[in-house]
């Protein structure tokens, strides 16, 4: 009986690069692949592993959607239309978009819907908002064929502003009376957060009992894991005394290494170490030699410390 079971298992090994039916779905739903995007009756939308590739500040967009609580960034429309578009982590009631009385469009990243390609969802919402009267713009059905957000905007960088709370929700309104209670409730959920100035898409945050640095990186996963393994084996993956590299998130096709920091560290104290680590990482990424046995073991350990999030 045991021999037949082992033979059967060998016959059904998953080919390299494919997802097995009993493995977690790469969309991050937490379900097995066969019950999610691998199901014949699964989601109609095709899962896109790296949906924000090609967007200005791709890594910051991922951080704003998944890690940062309150931040905004202006977007420039590719068709030279004179409309102000503001990308936001979260809008009131998790709205996909809002058209303000001024005609400005606010586009939300943290929303309730997920039709497989968030960049196409954002493109559909933006086009609808540009043609809508002031108010909330939603997306209740899959967007179908149409441009993705990166087809509608231009630029090479994203100018992110991290906010202490959500006062920017009403910064364009003269009459702000009656909104204090709602803002107080929203602001109570925000942890102190700062974007580092010395490197791209690295965010320090204070969650009370701990501080973290979460750094979204654009390199392909295999190359990045190799480089991180080299640095870990060499003892060069620490940022500050008593801090430690604890693992990674995987979101929208990118890895986000995470460091625990001692309480009281603050964002400023991480700037220089992060810049130094970026230089070390660049050298490790450029190293094309085979990993040593210790580095291979470190890589395996790092791979086991990944958590996929939406």
């Amino acid at each position: 009986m045991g021999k037949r079971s082992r033979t059967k298992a060998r016959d059904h090994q998953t080919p390299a690069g494919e997802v097995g039916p009993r493995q977690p779905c790469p969309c991050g739903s937490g379900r097995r692949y066969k019950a999610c995007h691998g199901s014949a009756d699964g989601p109609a939308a095709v899962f896109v592993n790296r949906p924000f590739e090609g967007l200005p500040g791709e890594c910051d967009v991922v951080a704003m959607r998944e890690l940062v609580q309150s931040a905004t960034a202006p977007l420039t429309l590719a068709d030279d239309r004179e409309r102000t578009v503001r990308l936001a982590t979260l809008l009131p009631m998790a709205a996909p978009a809002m058209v303000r009385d001024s005609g400005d469009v606010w586009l939300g990243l943290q929303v309730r819907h997920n039709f497989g390609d968030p960049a196409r969802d954002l493109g559909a919402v933006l086009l609808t908002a540009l043609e809508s009267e002031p108010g909330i713009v939603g997306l209740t059905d899959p967007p179908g064929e149409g441009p993705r957000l990166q087809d509608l905007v231009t630029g090479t960088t994203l100018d992110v502003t991290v906010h202490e709370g959500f006062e920017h929700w009403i910064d364009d309104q003269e009459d702000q009376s009656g909104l204090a209670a709602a803002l107080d409730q929203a602001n109570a959920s925000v942890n102190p957060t700062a974007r580092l100035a010395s490197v791209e898409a690295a965010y320090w945050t204070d969650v009370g009992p701990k501080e973290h640095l979460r750094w979204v990186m654009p390199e392909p996963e295999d190359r990045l894991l190799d480089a991180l393994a080299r640095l870990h084996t060499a003892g060069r993956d620490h940022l500050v005394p008593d801090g430690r590299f604890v693992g990674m998130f995987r979101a929208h096709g990118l890895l986000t290494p995470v460091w625990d920091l001692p309480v009281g560290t603050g964002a400023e104290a991480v700037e220089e170490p992060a810049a130094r680590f970026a230089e070390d990482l660049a050298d490790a990424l450029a190293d094309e030699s085979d990993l040593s046995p210790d580095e291979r073991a470190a890589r395996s350990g790092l791979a086991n410390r990944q958590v996929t999030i939406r």
Side-chain angles (χ1 to χ4, degrees):
M1 180 66 70
K3 184 175 181 180
R4 286 198 299 270
S5 298
R6 289 194 296 270
T7 302
K8 183 177 180 180
R10 285 196 299 270
D11 291 342
H12 289 82
Q13 286 181 346
T14 302
E18 296 185 12
V19 181
R22 299 179 63 83
Q23 292 179 322
C25 187
C27 76
S29 66
R31 293 178 290 174
R32 291 177 177 176
Y33 180 66
K34 69 177 183 179
C36 192
H37 281 82
S39 170
D41 299 321
V46 175
F47 171 71
V48 178
N49 182 57
R50 192 171 171 178
F52 300 121
E53 187 173 15
L55 264 175
E58 176 193 7
C59 293
D60 282 300
V61 173
V62 172
M64 289 176 66
R65 181 174 167 97
E66 302 297 344
L67 304 173
V68 181
Q69 293 166 305
S70 183
T72 58
L75 295 176
T76 301
L77 294 173
D79 62 4
D80 295 324
R81 196 183 319 206
E82 293 185 0
R83 296 286 294 277
T84 297
V85 179
R86 174 194 280 186
L87 189 65
T89 52
L90 180 69
L91 295 178
M93 300 176 289
M98 300 180 72
V99 181
R100 310 300 286 184
D101 291 338
S102 63
D104 293 352
V105 174
W106 295 1
L107 197 60
L109 283 167
Q110 297 177 17
V111 295
R112 296 188 178 96
H113 62 256
N114 180 5
F115 296 112
D117 182 356
R120 193 174 299 281
D121 298 349
L122 286 162
V125 170
L126 177 56
L127 286 179
T128 301
L130 290 170
E131 303 300 328
S132 298
E133 298 297 321
I136 292 176
V137 176
L139 187 64
T140 57
D141 297 306
E145 295 297 325
R148 306 168 75 226
L149 184 60
Q150 45 268 68
D151 300 322
L152 302 175
V153 301
T154 188
T156 56
T157 59
L158 198 66
D159 184 14
V160 178
T161 299
V162 177
H163 302 281
E164 295 182 357
F166 291 99
E167 281 78 11
H168 58 278
W169 283 353
I170 58 172
D171 61 10
D172 62 345
Q173 297 184 23
E174 293 184 7
D175 183 7
Q176 300 180 1
S177 60
L179 297 172
L183 279 177
D184 286 345
Q185 183 178 5
N187 291 343
S189 66
V190 178
N191 296 317
T193 301
R195 185 183 187 276
L196 298 193
S198 58
V199 295
E200 294 294 319
Y203 290 82
W204 165 90
T205 186
D206 181 352
V207 297
K210 291 182 180 180
E211 295 180 19
H212 301 299
L213 183 72
R214 300 178 293 188
W215 189 344
V216 186
M217 296 184 174
E219 290 80 14
E221 181 171 327
D222 284 343
R223 286 186 56 217
L224 184 55
L225 282 173
D226 284 353
L228 291 172
R230 295 183 195 278
L231 295 181
H232 180 75
T233 304
R236 293 159 60 196
D237 60 351
H238 298 287
L239 295 180
V240 297
D242 297 323
R244 65 190 186 99
F245 176 54
V246 293
M248 288 164 282
F249 293 118
R250 180 196 292 111
H252 306 296
L254 299 180
L255 290 183
T256 301
V258 180
W259 286 262
D260 278 354
L261 309 171
V263 174
T265 299
E268 186 175 349
V270 191
E271 292 281 8
E272 184 177 343
R276 184 172 60 251
F277 180 85
E279 295 177 356
D280 291 342
L281 181 63
D283 291 340
L285 286 165
D287 188 344
E288 297 183 357
S289 63
D290 292 337
L291 296 179
S292 69
D294 286 344
E295 290 169 343
R296 287 198 299 271
R299 189 189 193 282
S300 178
L302 292 174
N304 290 331
R305 284 189 279 163
Q306 295 180 28
V307 176
T308 300
I309 59 177
R310 290 181 184 272

